[in-house]
Amino acid sequence: MTRLFNDPDEFAAEMIEGFAAASARWVRAVPGGVVRSTRGAEPTVALVIGGGSGHYPAFGGLVGPGLAHGAAMGNLFASPSAQRVHSVAAAADEGRGVLLSYGNYAGDVLHFDQAQERLRAEGVDCRTVRVTDDVSSAPAEEIEKRRGIAGDLTVFKIAGAAAEAGYDLDGVERVANRANSRTRSFGVAFGGCTLPGADEPLFDVPEGRMAVGLGIHGEPGIDEVDVPTADGLAELFVTKLLDEVPEGVSRDGARVVPILNGLGSVKYEELYVVYASVARRLEEAGLVLVSPEVGEFCTSFDMAGASLTLLWLDEELERLWLEPCDTPAFRRGAVAGRVAVREEDLVAAGPSREIGPSTEESRDAAATAAAVLDALARMLDEQAEELGRIDRIAGDGDHGIGMQRGSAAASAAAAAAAEAGAGAGTLLRCAGDAWSDEGGGTSGAIWGRMLDALGGELGDEHPVDTAAVGAGVTRMKEAIMSFGKAQPGDKTMIDAVVPFADELSARIAAGDGLLEAWTSAVEAARRGAEETADMVARLGRARSHGDKSLGTPDPGAVSFSLAARTALEVLAERGEGAA
Amino acid sequence: MTRLFNDPDEFAAEMIEGFAAASARWVRAVPGGVVRSTRGAEPTVALVIGGGSGHYPAFGGLVGPGLAHGAAMGNLFASPSAQRVHSVAAAADEGRGVLLSYGNYAGDVLHFDQAQERLRAEGVDCRTVRVTDDVSSAPAEEIEKRRGIAGDLTVFKIAGAAAEAGYDLDGVERVANRANSRTRSFGVAFGGCTLPGADEPLFDVPEGRMAVGLGIHGEPGIDEVDVPTADGLAELFVTKLLDEVPEGVSRDGARVVPILNGLGSVKYEELYVVYASVARRLEEAGLVLVSPEVGEFCTSFDMAGASLTLLWLDEELERLWLEPCDTPAFRRGAVAGRVAVREEDLVAAGPSREIGPSTEESRDAAATAAAVLDALARMLDEQAEELGRIDRIAGDGDHGIGMQRGSAAASAAAAAAAEAGAGAGTLLRCAGDAWSDEGGGTSGAIWGRMLDALGGELGDEHPVDTAAVGAGVTRMKEAIMSFGKAQPGDKTMIDAVVPFADELSARIAAGDGLLEAWTSAVEAARRGAEETADMVARLGRARSHGDKSLGTPDPGAVSFSLAARTALEVLAERGEGAA
């Protein structure tokens, strides 16, 4: 368990402070994460990696010459916000384009994609390569749905070496994609970690048992067996990974890099005992082992678990894998002379939103919005534990804490914006930025986008009447549907948002007042959230999650439904029915 | 806990196999451990480090250019035997002398000193620097009694860099001693590790509590407090280490290297949060921080604990600390071109004992000795758990497992020697080698030396009568007294061995037969062992161990007493009374 922290809410920020202080030879802190503290003679493509904190050396520990140029570091197990990714990428950019690379998780995809959009809008050529190495997270035909685990290292190392060698952005993207298509990992776990300040571990594995294929945040695995011997685990790892030789690779005589990774409390000696057996089995299968790595490359705090990764080499990948690099946690050979970056060369963080002119009516509506956000934050603070419990059943259990953090930040940002005289539109957009930035994960990104859409429609100078609110909610619905890939009926948050928005529009069109229409829409959201627990409809998803998710509603749909009801209470209390 | 192993008895051997396989860029396996797999242009002084296994990267992970030349790797938490140290040192020697350096534990001292004697006898100039950095293990006036913990790294790094820079043996010894005299560490623990195959952790710390000053094998600490915040721990670390500035150092403006070390399951993120606070406090105290290290440098499997080390620099130490090095687990900068060592250049292990001529009477006595050793091994197998329990009260809990392993190896070696026709002397000496080699630790070294002395006295061609056995036991007593530093009354194993030997001699001199004399001597040993639990006499030792050791006998005295009784049973059974 995690024992050493001060305020749990400040853990990630203090961790980054300590990391940057201890690692000044390689990195310096910028808003949102770290970038290199040295620069080479010629500008190169910038590799920007990132993800939630709690996986050290992923991601900050891999920044330095020959590897990454910057790492966006999110809260614990929560994607960095689009703002953080953008800030780090802007600081890392050397004018030859930016490659974003990260493990494939919904929250990271949303935030990195948003950052990519913004970078492109600013004229920076930006590409993305998602790492999808975990063979147990989806079948081979759906490789793009797989999670990224310890295979992050091979993709980052290859891309970083290519950038260092002067490849252009097309070239770096090409080899990173090839490295990903030739990297496969398989993991097991014996027990989960406990986040700072939490009372319970993220997940449990019964004593003497081993979860097979479990994800690094506790995402459900594919099987559970008795803890095997070291030989037994080596056999399992090698069998699983030789079962799926990447397309275009001939197994016989193939050259591979094996990476045996400890998740946190499976220690070096145990890993070496397993590695002795892994190496024997791979060689017996006719493979040639190149520059193996045994250690901790992608952890999950003190989670008890391990994974084996194979990178199937070709000539170019082997050359790039063996190139020198020098980072806080991964070093190889000798990197040619570097110079320290001067303070004044560092790019400042992007501007925060300006508070423009607004009408008095809009400022009144802003006060109501701030009151709603304040009530939401208090409600989500109370519900965080229960939402986490629901999320742990089929997901990674971070929904509660993410909503708690995000809504608290949004409420604080709204209060500050109101204080500064912002209209309704700007206040909601500031709150959305804060929710996304602090909440992290998928839910943070979605709520950030929803508030942004609502605020965009309401503006600061238009009348905020029932019709305007109805139109704002419709925009909100459209934003979330264009943003993620889920459709109504997929049993996600959408199944609460769509009925809510549709019922609200229909009732307003039929002449209802805001309170009346909203009351009816809350009921529709509640029914929608409940239906996400429908057993028959969930069967498809349950198949890849074990049976445990059957009968449990989607936590995002539940929290949206609760939020809609809380908003109704505030609106009623403030007598906004007449608006 | 440790989960991944095959046969627990083979754990260390398989670990070394896997480590060498994964680390061929830096090391190759030799009997007893590993040496570098590369060599520089010019021969240098050889730095040979070592200790028990379970502390990775200590010790094998620190072998490579700019750091150690070889590491003697013992069994789990047990000193490598003198044979192993000698074998590694002989392979590492480049003709310019050998510096042995290791953490200051009784077992390591015995074995490394024996190896040093043998190397010197072979004409190799050999010196020793013991690391004594743990301020909580003895007061400043008795610095030479302190244990070595994570400060190993500073002493090894400085010595390795000096060797690499071409210093002669005097010079390497001098800077290693200075580094040790300027290195201080302080550690805490939240919970112990469980060794492969063991049912219980080596020690427990109550939930929510923190043991202060606890050793890396669970040696008793100086206090127990509630788990503090990260800031609270940083405050404790910094206060304790600034309390004892090394002699000759001016604290104001001093340049120090801070090393924040995790013992296994206190992970990187937590360490960085603590480091942020440590760095702030050290800077506030006026120190200048040079090239800090945060990570895992000396672990104890997955023990939950951490320590802070400070190396107080001078100009020469700073230069050497910053020199490049390249090892499996610790790398810095760029090491100049190295060439791989060829197989045929590696020195073979030393010869095993030859089976010389022997009389039939001596071979008969050898059969009795083999039967006694077999009975000892069975008895110690049964008693291992209880002996471990006693040892855990004031020591590190490894006495039971060490005696079990050592006696099993001795019994097997005796059987093999008997099979090969060895006389009593050679058989006992072979058994002593095996006990020392496999049992490890202090008890392994002492039993090895006792059997060697007994065998030396009995020889292979002399009559083995009552007088000869009496003389042999006296030699055994003398050997152990000249070997360690303990005196009768210090409440150690000596307090059982001396009464046993003296009573045996006295009764034989008085005309008793062997069985009669031995019976009386067994009683004397039993009384001696019991008296080691005497509360008043133990007060002195207990002061540095907390109160817990009061009233518990010394485990080495207990096991000697049990062994004497077991031997009596076998002698009686075989009718050796008349001999």
Side-chain angles (χ1 to χ4, degrees):
Chain A
M1 63 177 298
T2 308
R3 295 177 184 82
L4 296 171
F5 49 86
N6 299 307
D7 178 352
D9 285 342
E10 297 301 318
F11 187 90
E14 292 183 4
M15 182 274 285
I16 296 173
E17 179 195 339
F19 167 65
S23 310
R25 280 170 278 166
W26 301 276
V27 304
R28 48 194 316 162
V30 292
V34 296
V35 297
R36 292 187 192 170
S37 59
T38 63
R39 193 162 283 180
E42 296 294 326
T44 69
V45 169
L47 169 67
V48 173
I49 62 177
S53 293
H55 305 299
Y56 192 87
F59 295 87
L62 302 176
V63 174
L67 232 157
H69 292 68
M73 296 161 84
N75 264 317
L76 298 177
F77 288 3
S79 165
S81 66
Q83 288 89 326
R84 293 191 191 193
V85 177
H86 176 270
S87 158
V88 171
D93 179 24
E94 301 186 359
R96 293 195 55 198
V98 172
L99 181 73
L100 301 176
S101 189
Y102 52 91
N104 185 39
Y105 295 91
D108 294 283
V109 171
L110 295 175
H111 289 289
F112 277 85
D113 275 359
Q114 259 189 283
Q116 175 170 272
E117 265 176 53
R118 186 167 162 195
L119 288 162
R120 286 179 176 170
E122 293 166 355
V124 176
D125 196 357
C126 182
R127 318 281 174 86
T128 292
V129 174
R130 294 180 196 124
V131 184
T132 56
D133 57 316
D134 183 357
V135 300
S136 64
S137 55
E141 315 79 70
E142 299 184 298
I143 196 167
E144 74 289 349
K145 290 192 179 166
R146 286 179 172 172
R147 302 183 290 246
I149 53 174
D152 281 354
L153 179 66
T154 66
V155 179
F156 298 165
K157 173 69 178 73
I158 298 291
E164 193 74 19
Y167 284 40
D168 64 12
L169 185 56
D170 284 341
V172 175
E173 183 186 18
R174 176 179 54 78
V175 291
N177 270 319
R178 197 157 77 243
N180 184 54
S181 76
R182 286 168 163 256
T183 299
R184 298 286 185 283
S185 301
F186 189 84
V188 299
F190 309 102
C193 61
T194 304
L195 295 185
D199 295 326
E200 283 184 60
L202 269 186
F203 63 91
D204 277 316
V205 180
E207 182 71 27
R209 302 281 284 173
M210 177 175 88
V212 176
L214 196 92
I216 57 175
H217 311 93
E219 297 91 342
I222 56 176
D223 201 3
E224 193 188 281
V225 299
D226 284 346
V227 172
T229 60
D231 281 340
L233 180 59
E235 170 80 30
L236 173 70
F237 277 157
V238 170
T239 305
K240 288 284 183 188
L241 291 185
L242 293 189
D243 253 9
E244 192 190 308
V245 177
E247 245 186 72
V249 174
S250 154
R251 177 175 137 178
D252 214 39
R255 297 172 70 82
V256 297
V257 176
I259 302 176
L260 187 60
N261 178 60
L263 270 294
S265 70
V266 169
K267 301 307 299 184
Y268 307 104
E269 285 83 357
E270 291 175 275
L271 293 173
Y272 282 125
V273 169
V274 174
Y275 183 73
S277 189
V278 163
R280 247 181 277 124
R281 284 162 209 276
L282 291 175
E283 281 167 356
E284 278 164 19
L287 304 185
V288 180
L289 309 187
V290 177
S291 194
E293 296 288 344
V294 178
E296 296 181 344
F297 306 101
C298 180
T299 61
S300 182
F301 276 107
D302 63 337
M303 173 170 164
S307 63
L308 180 66
T309 297
L310 292 184
L311 165 61
W312 299 79
L313 296 167
D314 60 22
E315 209 179 310
E316 184 177 29
L317 294 181
E318 180 161 347
R319 181 168 49 73
L320 294 168
W321 176 253
L322 295 175
E323 283 290 317
C325 65
D326 186 18
T327 77
F330 194 76
R331 297 169 212 165
R332 182 197 293 289
V335 173
R338 316 289 297 189
V339 292
V341 173
R342 290 171 309 164
E343 191 79 45
E344 58 266 36
D345 290 341
L346 292 172
V347 177
S352 55
R353 277 177 208 277
E354 272 173 37
I355 308 287
S358 58
T359 60
E360 191 177 333
E361 193 197 345
S362 187
R363 289 196 295 279
D364 285 349
T368 300
V372 167
L373 286 162
D374 178 54
L376 281 193
R378 282 183 283 118
M379 181 274 289
L380 288 166
D381 190 48
E382 272 170 31
Q383 297 294 328
E385 202 161 315
E386 172 63 10
L387 290 170
R389 191 192 63 76
I390 299 178
D391 191 32
R392 259 194 297 280
I393 293 170
D396 56 12
D398 68 357
H399 184 73
I401 197 167
M403 291 293 286
Q404 184 184 31
R405 269 196 217 124
S407 60
S411 169
E419 179 73 26
T426 297
L427 178 137
L428 285 165
R429 300 179 83 171
C430 289
D433 287 351
W435 194 314
S436 162
D437 198 19
E438 288 298 322
T442 315
S443 61
I446 289 177
W447 275 87
R449 188 60 81 100
M450 289 200 305
L451 293 177
D452 187 61
L454 179 60
E457 181 67 26
L458 294 181
D460 294 335
E461 297 177 301
H462 312 307
V464 184
D465 54 16
T466 298
V469 172
V473 170
T474 300
R475 276 278 294 278
M476 205 174 90
K477 174 188 94 169
E478 288 162 2
I480 142 172
M481 290 192 59
S482 72
F483 189 50
K485 284 166 198 152
Q487 292 298 314
D490 283 358
K491 308 296 161 189
T492 67
M493 183 175 173
I494 299 259
D495 290 334
V497 177
V498 169
F500 176 83
D502 290 350
E503 179 71 11
L504 191 76
S505 300
R507 298 304 297 262
I508 290 172
D512 281 5
L514 182 59
L515 269 189
E516 207 180 345
W518 195 286
T519 304
S520 182
V522 164
E523 185 52 28
R526 191 191 59 74
R527 275 197 311 272
E530 270 177 16
E531 279 167 18
T532 61
D534 178 67
M535 291 185 57
V536 176
R538 280 184 85 89
L539 260 180
R541 285 176 79 193
R543 214 166 285 139
S544 66
H545 280 151
D547 296 334
K548 292 192 295 180
S549 63
L550 294 178
T552 313
D554 179 77
V558 171
S559 55
F560 179 83
S561 161
L562 293 173
R565 198 179 60 199
T566 301
L568 176 63
E569 288 161 10
V570 177
L571 294 177
E573 207 172 277
R574 296 176 70 96
E576 299 287 339
Chain B
M1 62 176 298
T2 308
R3 295 177 182 84
L4 295 172
F5 49 85
N6 299 307
D7 179 352
D9 286 342
E10 297 301 319
F11 187 89
E14 292 182 2
M15 182 273 286
I16 296 173
E17 179 195 340
F19 168 64
S23 311
R25 278 170 278 167
W26 301 277
V27 304
R28 45 196 317 162
V30 293
V34 295
V35 297
R36 292 187 192 170
S37 59
T38 63
R39 194 161 282 182
E42 296 296 326
T44 69
V45 169
L47 169 67
V48 173
I49 63 177
S53 293
H55 304 300
Y56 192 87
F59 295 89
L62 301 176
V63 174
L67 233 158
H69 293 69
M73 296 161 83
N75 264 317
L76 298 178
F77 287 3
S79 165
S81 66
Q83 290 90 327
R84 292 190 192 193
V85 177
H86 176 269
S87 158
V88 171
D93 179 25
E94 300 186 0
R96 294 196 56 197
V98 172
L99 180 73
L100 301 176
S101 189
Y102 52 91
N104 184 39
Y105 295 90
D108 294 283
V109 171
L110 295 174
H111 288 288
F112 277 86
D113 276 358
Q114 259 189 281
Q116 176 170 271
E117 267 177 50
R118 186 167 163 196
L119 288 163
R120 286 179 177 169
E122 293 165 357
V124 176
D125 195 357
C126 183
R127 317 281 175 85
T128 291
V129 174
R130 293 180 198 124
V131 182
T132 56
D133 58 317
D134 183 357
V135 299
S136 64
S137 55
E141 314 80 71
E142 300 185 298
I143 197 167
E144 74 289 350
K145 290 192 180 167
R146 286 180 172 172
R147 302 183 289 247
I149 53 173
D152 281 354
L153 179 66
T154 67
V155 180
F156 299 165
K157 173 68 179 72
I158 297 292
E164 193 74 20
Y167 283 40
D168 65 12
L169 185 56
D170 284 342
V172 174
E173 183 187 17
R174 176 178 54 77
V175 291
N177 271 319
R178 197 158 77 246
N180 184 54
S181 77
R182 286 169 163 256
T183 299
R184 298 288 185 281
S185 301
F186 189 83
V188 298
F190 310 100
C193 61
T194 304
L195 296 184
D199 294 326
E200 282 185 60
L202 268 185
F203 63 92
D204 277 315
V205 180
E207 181 71 26
R209 302 281 285 171
M210 177 174 87
V212 176
L214 195 94
I216 57 174
H217 312 93
E219 297 92 342
I222 55 177
D223 199 3
E224 194 188 280
V225 299
D226 285 345
V227 172
T229 60
D231 281 341
L233 180 60
E235 171 79 29
L236 173 71
F237 277 157
V238 169
T239 305
K240 288 284 181 187
L241 292 185
L242 293 188
D243 253 9
E244 191 190 309
V245 177
E247 245 185 72
V249 174
S250 154
R251 177 175 135 178
D252 213 39
R255 297 173 70 81
V256 297
V257 176
I259 301 176
L260 186 61
N261 177 60
L263 269 295
S265 71
V266 170
K267 300 308 299 185
Y268 308 103
E269 285 84 358
E270 290 175 274
L271 292 172
Y272 283 124
V273 169
V274 174
Y275 183 74
S277 189
V278 163
R280 246 181 277 124
R281 285 162 208 275
L282 291 174
E283 282 167 354
E284 277 164 21
L287 304 184
V288 179
L289 309 187
V290 177
S291 195
E293 295 287 345
V294 178
E296 296 180 344
F297 306 101
C298 180
T299 61
S300 182
F301 277 106
D302 63 337
M303 173 170 164
S307 63
L308 179 68
T309 297
L310 292 184
L311 166 61
W312 299 80
L313 295 168
D314 61 19
E315 208 179 311
E316 184 178 30
L317 294 182
E318 180 162 346
R319 181 170 47 75
L320 293 169
W321 174 254
L322 295 176
E323 283 289 317
C325 65
D326 186 19
T327 76
F330 195 76
R331 296 168 212 166
R332 182 196 293 287
V335 173
R338 318 288 299 186
V339 293
V341 174
R342 289 171 310 164
E343 191 78 47
E344 56 267 37
D345 290 341
L346 292 170
V347 177
S352 55
R353 279 178 204 279
E354 271 173 38
I355 308 290
S358 58
T359 61
E360 191 176 334
E361 192 196 345
S362 185
R363 287 197 295 277
D364 284 350
T368 299
V372 168
L373 287 163
D374 179 52
L376 281 193
R378 280 182 285 118
M379 181 275 288
L380 288 166
D381 189 48
E382 271 169 32
Q383 296 295 327
E385 202 160 316
E386 172 64 9
L387 290 169
R389 192 192 62 77
I390 299 177
D391 191 31
R392 259 194 297 281
I393 293 169
D396 57 11
D398 69 358
H399 183 73
I401 198 168
M403 290 294 285
Q404 185 184 30
R405 268 196 217 124
S407 61
S411 169
E419 179 74 26
T426 297
L427 178 137
L428 284 164
R429 300 180 83 171
C430 289
D433 288 350
W435 195 315
S436 163
D437 197 19
E438 288 297 322
T442 316
S443 61
I446 290 177
W447 276 87
R449 188 61 80 100
M450 290 200 303
L451 294 178
D452 188 60
L454 180 60
E457 181 67 26
L458 294 182
D460 293 335
E461 296 177 301
H462 314 305
V464 185
D465 54 17
T466 297
V469 172
V473 168
T474 300
R475 276 278 295 278
M476 205 173 90
K477 174 187 92 167
E478 289 161 4
I480 141 172
M481 289 192 60
S482 72
F483 190 50
K485 286 164 198 154
Q487 292 299 313
D490 285 356
K491 307 295 163 189
T492 66
M493 183 175 172
I494 300 260
D495 291 334
V497 177
V498 170
F500 176 85
D502 291 350
E503 179 71 12
L504 191 76
S505 298
R507 298 303 298 262
I508 289 172
D512 280 6
L514 182 59
L515 269 187
E516 209 178 343
W518 196 285
T519 303
S520 183
V522 163
E523 184 53 27
R526 191 191 59 74
R527 276 196 310 272
E530 270 177 16
E531 280 166 17
T532 61
D534 177 67
M535 290 183 59
V536 176
R538 279 184 86 90
L539 260 181
R541 284 178 78 193
R543 214 166 285 141
S544 67
H545 279 154
D547 297 334
K548 292 193 294 181
S549 63
L550 294 177
T552 312
D554 178 78
V558 171
S559 56
F560 179 82
S561 162
L562 293 173
R565 197 178 61 197
T566 300
L568 176 64
E569 288 162 9
V570 176
L571 295 175
E573 207 172 276
R574 295 177 70 98
E576 299 287 339

